[in-house]
């Protein structure tokens, strides 16, 4: 059995992580999820805090019951490690709005959630934070017979470009590499980095190309170390493989779930 890389021990957090502050802090939630607190504006991206259908190797750093308030939940696509219906429903009482693609927002509305659907390229504000919906290519269901009862469109999945008072964050979502997009954006101040070697993700080589297109950008690793799936490429990435593949490997951020990361403007950011 192949060895599975595991995330560092979880650093739990509670209500103080959601309080007003003088900066922008990110916390990896495990899986593909993040909490962003930008000077008191709070949002989660792809939170999965319970109810996943595969064995989990980590302790989640926060429970929905310990979340005092979220200005928004952003969801990149409908896979259940990104759109966790149990988690989104658990957070409904403290969340002002849910944002995703038109398709996923329809699913959320069916669950009674206050959802807003967006087209690729749309922009919207969450407090003082501006969010732009970016392209993704993750319609894997169309090549997996029996995976769905509908034809998935490219615009059913997305990423998010997030502009805060303290810098930019790019959450590209799950996607195959789109060269004209993923390699040609302005340099973000933090890249939420999926490096899984899966054909419906960037692939390890594609992830390295993307990292090297922005050689000064910190890489906040996710989509690894959380699921006990050593033979399943979307979940079995190992941060050690990155050091020989990317420029400036010291920018690799192997965060523990719940560990705070303070956003800082990069000199190379555009």
């Amino acid at each position: 059995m192949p060895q599975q890389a595991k995330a560092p021990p979880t650093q739990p957090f509670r209500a103080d992580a959601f309080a007003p502050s003088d900066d922008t802090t990110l916390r990896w939630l495990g899986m593909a999820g993040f909490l962003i607190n930008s000077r008191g504006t709070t949002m989660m991206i792809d939170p999965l805090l319970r109810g996943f259908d595969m064995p989990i190797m980590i302790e989640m750093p926060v429970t929905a019951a310990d979340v005092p308030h979220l200005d928004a939940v952003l969801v990149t696509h409908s896979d259940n490690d990104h759109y966790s219906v149990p988690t989104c429903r658990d957070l409904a009482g403290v969340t002002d709005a849910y944002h995703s693609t038109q398709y996923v927002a329809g699913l959320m509305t069916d669950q009674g959630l206050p959802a807003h659907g967006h087209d690729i390229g749309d922009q919207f504000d969450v407090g003082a934070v501006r969010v732009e919906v970016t392209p993704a290519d993750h319609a894997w269901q169309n090549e997996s017979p029996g995976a769905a009862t509908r034809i998935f469109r490219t615009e059913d999945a997305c990423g998010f470009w997030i502009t805060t008072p303290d810098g930019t964050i790019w959450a590209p979502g799950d996607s195959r590499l789109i060269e004209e997009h993923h390699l040609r954006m302005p340099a973000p101040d933090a890249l939420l980095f999926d490096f899984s070697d899966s054909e419906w993700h960037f692939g390890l080589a594609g992830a390295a190309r993307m990292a090297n297109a922005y050689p000064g950008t910190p890489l906040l690793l996710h989509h690894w170390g959380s699921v006990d799936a050593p033979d399943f490429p979307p979940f079995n990435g190992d941060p050690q493989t990155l050091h020989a593949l990317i420029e400036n490997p010291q920018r690799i951020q192997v965060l523990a779930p719940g560990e705070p990361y303070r956003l800082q403007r990069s000199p190379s950011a555009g």
Side-chain angles (χ1 to χ4, degrees):
M1 176 71 70
Q3 192 70 24
Q4 173 80 66
K6 185 177 179 180
T10 293
Q11 299 181 17
F13 61 88
R14 291 199 173 183
D16 58 344
F18 300 82
S21 66
D22 296 325
D23 55 17
T24 296
T25 300
L26 298 90
R27 285 176 166 87
W28 182 39
L29 300 174
M31 310 293 285
F34 281 86
L35 167 67
I36 300 172
N37 182 342
S38 182
R39 304 190 182 196
T41 296
T42 56
M43 62 185 73
M44 285 183 174
I45 303 173
D46 290 348
L48 196 171
L49 303 180
R50 74 170 184 93
F52 193 47
D53 59 357
M54 295 177 67
I56 302 298
M57 300 192 297
I58 63 169
E59 296 293 328
M60 296 305 178
V62 69
T63 67
D66 287 325
V67 176
H69 176 258
L70 290 171
D71 293 286
V73 168
L74 313 182
V75 173
T76 60
H77 63 288
S78 61
D79 289 352
N80 69 346
D81 58 321
H82 295 261
Y83 173 38
S84 166
V85 174
T87 299
C88 287
R89 292 180 67 176
D90 288 348
L91 292 170
V94 296
T95 301
D96 289 348
Y98 294 76
H99 295 272
S100 189
T101 63
Q102 299 287 0
Y103 169 64
V104 178
L107 301 178
M108 292 173 164
T109 299
D110 290 344
Q111 292 291 327
L113 302 174
H116 302 265
H118 301 280
D119 298 325
I120 304 300
D122 282 358
Q123 297 185 11
F124 58 92
D125 292 326
V126 180
V129 175
R130 170 60 61 92
V131 182
E132 180 177 349
V133 182
T134 60
D137 178 1
H138 196 60
W140 61 268
Q141 297 90 340
N142 297 341
E143 295 185 11
S144 300
T149 58
R150 67 186 291 272
I151 300 297
F152 276 72
R153 301 178 297 177
T154 303
E155 60 267 31
D156 292 338
C158 71
F160 297 107
W161 183 276
I162 301 167
T163 302
T164 80
D166 303 297
T168 54
I169 304 162
W170 189 12
D174 288 4
S175 179
R176 296 191 292 194
L177 187 69
I178 307 171
E179 293 195 12
E180 63 273 19
H181 168 62
H182 290 126
L183 304 183
R184 292 175 172 82
M185 292 288 280
D189 297 302
L191 175 57
L192 309 188
F193 193 60
D194 170 13
F195 60 103
S196 59
D197 194 17
S198 167
E199 64 177 339
W200 278 99
H201 294 239
F202 299 119
L204 186 57
R209 291 182 65 197
M210 188 173 176
N212 290 333
Y214 313 100
T217 295
L219 308 174
L220 279 58
L221 306 190
H222 71 93
H223 227 296
W224 79 282
S226 306
V227 180
D228 189 5
D231 294 313
F232 192 39
F235 295 130
N236 69 1
D238 185 341
Q240 291 301 317
T241 64
L242 290 174
H243 288 263
L245 299 176
I246 69 167
E247 300 176 35
N248 303 323
Q250 70 275 9
R251 62 200 171 104
I252 298 171
Q253 304 292 317
V254 183
L255 300 175
E259 179 181 355
Y261 175 86
R262 182 173 176 269
L263 183 67
Q264 300 184 63
R265 293 190 187 277
S266 168
S268 63

